[in-house]
Amino acid sequence: MRFASYILALVSLQPVLAAGELEFNRDIRPILSDNCFSCHGPDAKGRKADLRLDVRDEALKALTGGDVMERITTVDVDDLMPPPESNKKLSAAQKATLKQWIAEGAKYQKHWAFEPPRKQPDESIDSLVGARLKQKGLSLAPEAAHSTLIRRVALDLTGLPPSPEMLKKPYEAVVDELLASKHFGEHMAVAWLDAARYADTNGYFGDKPRQMWLWRDWVIDAFNANMPFDQFTIEQLAGDLLPNATVRQRIATGFNRNHMANNESGSIDEEFRTEYVVDRVDTTMTTWLGLTAGCAQCHDHKFDPISQAEFYQLFAFFNNVPEQGLIKEENPPPLLQVPSPEQERKFAELKQEAQRAKAAFEPMRKKLVPVMTAWEKEAESSLPVLPKENVLHESFSGTLGAGSTAHGTPLTFAPGLRGEAVKFDATQHVEASMKGFEADKPWTISLWLNADGSLSCPLSLIEPQGDRRGIEVIWQKGRAQVNLVHRWGVSAIEVATVESMISKTWHHLAISHDGSRKAAGLSVFIDGALATLEVRRDTLDGSIANHEPLRIGRRDANLGFYGMIDEVRIVPSVLDEKTAQDWFCGERIRGIVEAPAAKRLVRDKEVLLDYYVDHFADVPVQTARREVKQSLQAEKDLLEAIPTVLVMQEMEKPRTAHVLERGQYDKPGKEVQPGVPVAVAAWKENAPRNRLGFAEWLVSAENPLTARVAVNRLWQQCFGEGLVRTPNDFGSQSEPPTHPELLDWLAVTFRDSGWDVKALLKRIVLSKTYRQSSQVTREDDPENRLLARGPSGRLSAEMLRDQALTISGLLVPKVGGPSVKPFQPPGLWEAVSYNGEETYVPDAGEGLWRRSLYTYVKRQSPHPMLLTFDGPTREKCTVRRARTNTPLQALMLLNDETFMKAAEALAKHSEGQKDRIAWMFRAATSRDPQPDERELLEGLIQRGRSWSLVAHTILNLDEVITKR
């Protein structure tokens, strides 16, 4: 590549652009970024021909004497640049632009977003917008009608329509009232929850519930209190690292625990832990800096000055949370319990009660010790007799019984319920032959299991292929699923216990069937108690017998068991509750008394004590023991009722961070220390190299991006689009700002105000630019990039529903609290949950009528109202929702149960009004109906339609579902 031929080729290009010096960021960077930077940009490893075009010194040095223009203009596809396989092609106009730029000296600029924002003292929103309009021979549109403007600003600041009283007040007074409203924080929180990927479930395969609503409420409160944005930033990213951090500051750090978390068996722990850290980096950089830092996870960024090493320097800030990638709990630690004052008071009372009960029982306990020691020697004679007619009894006492064989990796024996048990890790199983077992007649299968994992098969007697005839028992997140199969999916009984067992704890599981081939004839007992069964299929109409061996610790070729199994028995009879309880107690107590006292676990000692007291102690002792257990249970129940929230926390010894080759968790490269992209802003030497230092760096005066990104988001809230229309990307591939001087003015004003969110929003909504009529008078600016008219657009999913509830009088205005479950069509959760195990149950009462930001968000199946109207699944950070217009949206508004009930309520509230149509119309649109509009609505009544239908029609008007 030779610079001389490049210049000659440029000179030969026609046509020459109109006079006026080009600007690199505006005119040249988009051409180079779209067509050249992927091969000749920041990514050193991906750079071709050692040519870098994003840095002037390197570009000029590499281009001297080059033949770039020949490569750009040649007709030879082997030499053409960009190459045909890139599917990129420079237009004649772009080549002419490059020609003029070179002729003007090929002046470069730092990317506009990395330049410090500037502000002229005499500027304002209206002067900057007006100057741009004047260049186009335009001016601001007239101000919108007062009622239109009040409705617009009410929706933009609170997400709710205005009250009738607001329509009578001066505009600025209404703005102040809205900014002071408790609903302001709720509306502001919605977009922040999108960015933070907030949800009520963990996502991935299991998608089980988690508690994060305390963090959501913190966000609402912070916006309502007008917390300065720099403090808002620091507390969410590093509140736990602040000196003497408060509970609320620790709650704030939940921002970066909102990511998904995986509990699927077989997942690699470090792989997903790394994924969580990567997600934190990507989310934080998108939310605060508008940079696509995730593009540097595998290599240097192709377009922006973020190296792969810098990505992992950022990674190092978020890499020190004491967490696991494969989670074991639905609320994975670290987490924080946050009791209310009432719960704290009650817990103190219960603790005292428990101490009193323990103190009262302790003398009795001491007297029982020698008595129980003597009883243990003769306990065998007093314990319930265990079944003797065993078709199979596999005790696993250090070896296998006759007729049983081991398969897979060698068996490992460990202390079990009685003697020893087999420890399984899904790589081995036991096969047992059973003489005399008749699957189609009455039988009971009993085993003790201590499961570790979310999904596995402790026992099966089933064909591995074909009809899959037989019996299988599945451990599924603590629930026992039992399948009796004649033909899989067609002729079978499939049930699951409602009650759950606890992982890593011994449980007795007994399954009994009377041979009737009906689900009603199947019973499951957990620890001697009859379990409630959820019947998923009851269509068995044929034999379940087969010639397969009994497999202990495996389903067939797949689904091995994780955990321990002991004392497997099969008897040819059904089980009643009394026998089940005796069986449970008989084996459980025998297992304890057979073990040396010195080796007994504390839990086993308590079980033995309870058994003896219940069966042999006198009434005063039984009463005292019962009071101890009741007080401890009450204490436990209260602890479980205290809400928790996932939070950030630093490890005592930080993890070492490395550059990961190609972003792979198991290919660490060179070690890196915490750091930031130097192209954005320098790190202060005295700042701590942790999340607190990073958060302070984000909001420092030297950082050119944070204020711009924040004000762009606030502008987007009011106008529907930001001044930068790619809010997730302020880098080289971004759209340039439509009004760069205005963006800078807003950013500096915001920062200089002390990061005052409410003050900036007030400036925006009081401006003449915002108050313009939104009526379209020009066709050459359909996207309103010039801001020659006011904002308009369809309301968001949350605003549509909340408006309907408000207008109809159904809205419950309570702020904060756990998530709620309003109406949604049945069957959606069953379709996405494993084996249809989860069912959505709508709330009763006020939960049906709360604001939509409180709606329960299940990542695998978000509420259909949210999805239909372009809401995110909250799996990843979202800073701009898509906008669609589909028939399904109209059907949702016409047929959804919430909107139907809102219409009924609106019609009911209109009763007694002198002019019901006008009253409902004003409630929905903030204005009186025109004569032709009234005539159409009256026509519905004249044709015998109900008032609910009239209300429903009004709620579906374009003017109602749109902000004007």
Side-chain angles (χ1 to χ4, degrees):
M1 298 180 181
R2 296 289 181 265
F3 187 66
S5 58
Y6 184 33
I7 296 296
L8 289 172
L10 282 173
V11 171
S12 67
L13 263 181
Q14 296 294 331
V16 177
L17 294 186
E21 188 173 61
L22 296 172
E23 186 176 302
F24 181 81
N25 277 334
R26 183 189 65 207
D27 304 307
I28 305 304
R29 185 184 293 276
I31 299 174
L32 298 181
S33 185
D34 285 346
N35 298 283
C36 309
F37 283 177
S38 59
C39 296
H40 305 292
D43 182 9
K45 291 183 179 179
R47 195 175 300 139
K48 305 289 180 62
D50 198 27
L51 173 61
R52 184 170 187 180
L53 294 175
D54 63 314
V55 177
R56 186 176 192 271
D57 290 344
E58 295 192 34
L60 291 178
K61 185 187 301 182
L63 288 170
T64 301
D67 59 354
V68 172
M69 207 59 215
E70 292 179 10
R71 301 291 297 275
I72 290 174
T73 59
T74 182
V75 294
D76 187 342
V77 295
D78 292 330
D79 292 334
L80 181 64
M81 288 294 168
E85 60 267 22
S86 71
N87 295 316
K88 296 175 181 178
K89 184 177 180 181
L90 290 174
S91 68
Q94 288 173 321
K95 295 172 185 178
T97 299
L98 292 174
K99 170 190 172 181
Q100 181 176 337
W101 174 58
I102 292 292
E104 292 172 355
K107 297 177 182 177
Y108 273 69
Q109 290 175 307
K110 193 175 182 180
H111 180 51
W112 64 265
F114 300 149
E115 295 279 9
R118 300 180 300 274
K119 173 184 175 182
Q120 297 300 324
D122 297 329
E123 292 173 339
S124 67
I125 294 174
D126 295 329
S127 70
L128 291 167
V129 173
R132 177 76 187 281
L133 290 173
K134 188 175 181 180
Q135 291 174 0
K136 300 290 184 179
L138 302 172
S139 60
L140 293 172
E143 185 169 306
H146 184 73
S147 60
T148 301
L149 200 52
I150 295 296
R151 181 172 183 269
R152 178 192 299 175
V153 76
L155 290 168
D156 281 340
L157 294 183
T158 66
L160 300 174
S163 66
E165 292 74 25
M166 288 182 184
L167 298 172
K168 304 171 185 177
K169 296 178 180 179
Y171 179 71
E172 186 171 355
V174 172
V175 169
D176 290 336
E177 182 178 341
L178 294 169
L179 290 171
S181 168
K182 64 181 181 181
H183 301 305
F184 169 80
E186 291 178 317
H187 181 55
M188 294 292 293
V190 173
W192 198 255
L193 300 188
D194 281 357
R197 66 272 195 245
Y198 168 86
D200 296 291
T201 61
N202 284 314
Y204 290 117
F205 170 77
D207 203 29
K208 291 300 182 182
R210 65 158 54 150
Q211 282 193 21
M212 284 299 294
W213 59 266
L214 284 167
W215 173 82
R216 180 202 62 210
D217 287 1
W218 179 91
V219 174
I220 295 170
D221 293 342
F223 277 122
N224 277 335
N226 200 25
M227 178 182 287
F229 188 75
D230 57 344
Q231 181 184 348
F232 184 74
T233 296
I234 290 169
E235 292 197 7
Q236 287 187 89
L237 294 181
D240 58 311
L241 300 180
L242 291 170
N244 302 312
T246 66
V247 169
R248 290 191 60 77
Q249 286 170 334
R250 293 185 64 196
I251 292 172
T253 66
F255 176 90
N256 262 324
R257 294 299 309 286
N258 277 309
H259 57 76
M260 297 196 295
N262 196 354
N263 71 341
E264 184 176 1
S265 299
S267 299
I268 300 172
D269 181 82
E270 182 61 13
E271 178 181 8
F272 281 92
R273 193 197 67 79
T274 301
E275 180 67 23
Y276 305 157
V277 182
V278 168
D279 183 88
R280 289 176 194 138
V281 174
D282 202 20
T283 297
T284 302
M285 295 296 280
T286 298
T287 302
W288 272 275
L289 297 182
L291 292 178
T292 55
C295 295
Q297 179 184 352
C298 303
H299 49 71
D300 291 347
H301 203 294
K302 292 289 187 183
F303 306 102
D304 295 328
I306 305 174
S307 68
Q308 188 183 20
E310 286 176 325
F311 177 87
Y312 286 100
Q313 286 182 295
L314 293 166
F315 181 99
F317 285 119
F318 301 99
N319 192 38
N320 301 316
V321 181
E323 63 183 338
Q324 293 180 312
L326 177 58
I327 64 170
K328 304 297 184 182
E329 299 91 356
E330 292 178 353
N331 291 299
L335 50 85
L336 184 67
Q337 279 194 318
V338 188
S340 66
E342 173 61 23
Q343 286 174 321
E344 287 183 326
R345 183 192 63 77
K346 184 65 176 176
F347 184 72
E349 289 180 1
L350 291 176
K351 206 167 189 62
Q352 289 182 347
E353 289 177 13
Q355 290 172 348
R356 285 195 296 268
K358 287 179 184 178
F361 180 69
E362 187 57 27
M364 302 177 186
R365 178 197 286 271
K366 290 180 179 178
K367 291 181 180 180
L368 287 174
V369 172
V371 179
M372 288 181 61
T373 301
W375 168 78
E376 286 182 31
K377 297 175 182 179
E378 308 295 332
E380 174 64 32
S381 62
S382 64
L383 291 174
V385 177
L386 298 177
K388 297 186 182 300
E389 299 178 7
N390 296 309
V391 175
L392 173 76
H393 177 206
E394 182 55 78
S395 65
F396 294 124
S397 296
T399 185
L400 298 180
S404 295
T405 57
H407 297 261
T409 60
L411 294 181
T412 301
F413 292 89
L417 184 92
R418 296 185 67 184
E420 291 186 298
V422 174
K423 191 173 184 179
F424 295 91
D425 64 2
T427 64
Q428 66 282 106
H429 70 281
V430 173
E431 292 187 1
S433 60
M434 296 182 295
K435 294 181 180 180
F437 177 66
E438 297 183 76
D440 295 322
K441 292 186 177 180
W443 49 259
T444 296
I445 298 173
S446 161
L447 71 159
W448 286 85
L449 71 166
N450 186 325
D452 181 12
S454 58
L455 181 66
S456 58
C457 179
L459 182 145
S460 72
L461 181 65
I462 198 163
E463 296 171 343
Q465 297 176 338
D467 290 339
R468 295 184 60 81
R469 184 176 298 179
I471 305 165
E472 65 178 5
V473 181
I474 306 294
W475 167 278
Q476 187 178 358
K477 308 273 181 28
R479 300 172 70 188
Q481 180 179 330
V482 181
N483 300 327
L484 312 185
V485 182
H486 173 64
R487 185 179 176 192
W488 187 264
V490 178
S491 173
I493 296 171
E494 299 174 12
V495 302
T497 61
V498 173
E499 297 83 1
S500 294
M501 293 170 277
I502 302 171
S503 294
K504 299 181 181 180
T505 302
W506 281 109
H507 288 284
H508 183 238
L509 181 66
I511 301 116
S512 187
H513 189 240
D514 63 6
S516 65
R517 297 179 180 172
K518 299 294 182 184
L522 182 65
S523 300
V524 178
F525 300 87
I526 298 175
D527 294 339
L530 182 65
T532 306
L533 298 183
E534 175 189 315
V535 179
R536 297 173 177 173
R537 190 184 301 274
D538 191 7
T539 58
L540 182 62
D541 60 4
S543 173
I544 61 173
N546 61 40
H547 300 291
E548 295 292 320
L550 177 72
R551 296 183 184 89
I552 303 171
R554 181 167 297 282
R555 186 185 201 178
D556 41 46
N558 300 300
L559 203 59
F561 182 71
Y562 291 87
M564 293 188 287
I565 295 178
D566 201 0
E567 295 296 325
V568 178
R569 296 176 187 261
I570 300 179
V571 298
S573 59
V574 293
L575 205 60
D576 58 32
E577 289 190 62
K578 174 65 168 59
T579 307
Q581 182 64 32
D582 288 346
W583 195 336
F584 164 70
C585 288
E587 283 191 320
R588 183 75 174 96
I589 302 304
R590 280 184 174 86
I592 296 173
V593 298
E594 288 169 359
K599 293 186 177 181
R600 293 173 190 169
L601 300 175
V602 173
R603 181 173 60 247
D604 291 340
K605 293 177 181 178
E606 293 298 305
V607 169
L608 186 62
L609 175 62
D610 286 338
Y611 182 83
Y612 184 85
V613 169
D614 289 344
H615 289 80
F616 304 107
D618 56 23
V619 173
V621 174
Q622 291 177 341
T623 301
R625 178 61 177 169
R626 184 166 57 250
E627 288 176 353
V628 170
K629 293 177 67 177
Q630 288 175 346
S631 63
L632 291 175
Q633 185 62 46
E635 195 175 328
K636 180 183 176 184
D637 290 344
L638 180 60
L639 277 174
E640 291 176 352
I642 293 173
T644 60
V645 60
L646 280 57
V647 295
M648 294 290 279
Q649 181 179 313
E650 290 291 282
M651 301 172 67
E652 290 186 12
K653 182 181 179 181
R655 291 188 180 95
T656 301
H658 298 265
V659 173
L660 301 180
E661 295 181 20
R662 302 300 300 171
Q664 293 183 228
Y665 74 95
D666 57 350
K667 291 190 175 180
K670 69 175 183 179
E671 183 178 336
V672 293
Q673 300 300 318
V676 295
V678 295
V680 177
W683 184 269
K684 290 184 177 180
E685 290 186 7
N686 60 347
R689 289 275 176 175
N690 57 20
R691 284 183 284 111
L692 180 57
F694 174 69
E696 291 171 342
W697 173 82
L698 282 177
V699 295
S700 66
E702 293 75 25
N703 193 311
L705 276 166
T706 303
R708 282 187 174 120
V709 171
V711 300
N712 191 65
R713 187 180 295 118
L714 296 176
W715 189 272
Q716 177 178 289
Q717 176 179 321
C718 297
F719 282 84
E721 293 284 2
L723 295 169
V724 177
R725 298 200 169 202
T726 52
N728 64 312
D729 188 0
F730 274 51
S732 293
Q733 290 292 92
S734 68
E735 278 198 34
T738 58
H739 296 69
E741 296 84 3
L742 175 57
L743 180 65
D744 280 10
W745 185 90
L746 290 167
V748 175
T749 300
F750 184 45
R751 192 180 60 205
D752 291 351
S753 72
W755 303 86
D756 191 325
V757 173
K758 289 187 177 183
L760 187 70
L761 281 171
K762 184 173 181 178
R763 280 180 181 271
I764 292 172
V765 300
L766 288 182
S767 70
K768 292 180 180 179
T769 302
Y770 176 83
R771 294 163 69 172
Q772 294 176 96
S773 167
S774 64
Q775 185 175 353
V776 179
T777 57
R778 295 173 56 88
E779 297 182 359
D780 57 351
D781 186 21
E783 296 180 354
N784 196 25
R785 288 176 177 267
L786 295 174
L787 299 174
R789 61 178 182 272
S792 66
R794 195 199 62 221
L795 304 184
S796 69
E798 291 89 350
M799 292 165 74
L800 285 167
R801 181 176 173 275
D802 295 349
Q803 175 181 250
L805 294 179
T806 303
I807 293 169
S808 64
L810 291 174
L811 182 71
V812 175
K814 175 184 174 182
V815 175
S819 297
V820 297
K821 295 177 179 176
F823 297 116
Q824 78 170 33
L828 298 180
W829 280 21
E830 289 84 347
V832 299
S833 59
Y834 183 82
N835 273 349
E837 66 175 0
E838 295 185 8
T839 298
Y840 183 92
V841 179
D843 286 341
E846 69 174 25
L848 297 172
W849 317 117
R850 298 284 305 283
R851 287 199 71 170
S852 300
L853 88 157
Y854 301 115
T855 296
Y856 191 94
V857 178
K858 181 176 176 63
R859 284 185 163 112
Q860 286 186 356
S861 182
H863 195 279
M865 176 72 191
L866 184 70
L867 285 187
T868 303
F869 284 94
D870 309 319
T873 62
R874 298 271 174 81
E875 293 173 295
K876 291 290 183 181
C877 169
T878 302
V879 292
R880 182 180 183 273
R881 294 187 182 183
R883 287 185 184 176
T884 63
N885 191 1
T886 70
L888 191 59
Q889 292 165 350
L891 291 172
M892 171 72 75
L893 295 176
L894 288 169
N895 298 292
D896 181 77
E897 190 167 2
T898 296
F899 288 92
M900 297 290 288
K901 291 188 178 299
E904 293 170 3
L906 179 59
K908 181 72 174 175
H909 287 171
S910 72
E911 292 177 358
Q913 297 293 328
K914 184 177 180 180
D915 188 339
R916 295 181 69 178
I917 287 178
W919 186 88
M920 289 191 292
F921 196 94
R922 277 194 302 272
T925 67
S926 300
R927 68 172 178 86
D928 290 322
Q930 298 294 324
D932 57 338
E933 294 167 334
R934 176 188 291 277
E935 182 179 351
L936 289 170
L937 294 171
E938 287 176 344
L940 293 174
I941 298 299
Q942 292 167 2
R943 291 194 296 274
R945 306 299 184 185
S946 68
W947 281 101
S948 292
L949 182 62
V950 175
H952 203 190
T953 302
I954 291 173
L955 290 178
N956 278 273
L957 293 175
D958 178 73
E959 185 175 352
V960 175
I961 66 173
T962 305
K963 179 188 75 174
R964 297 295 189 195

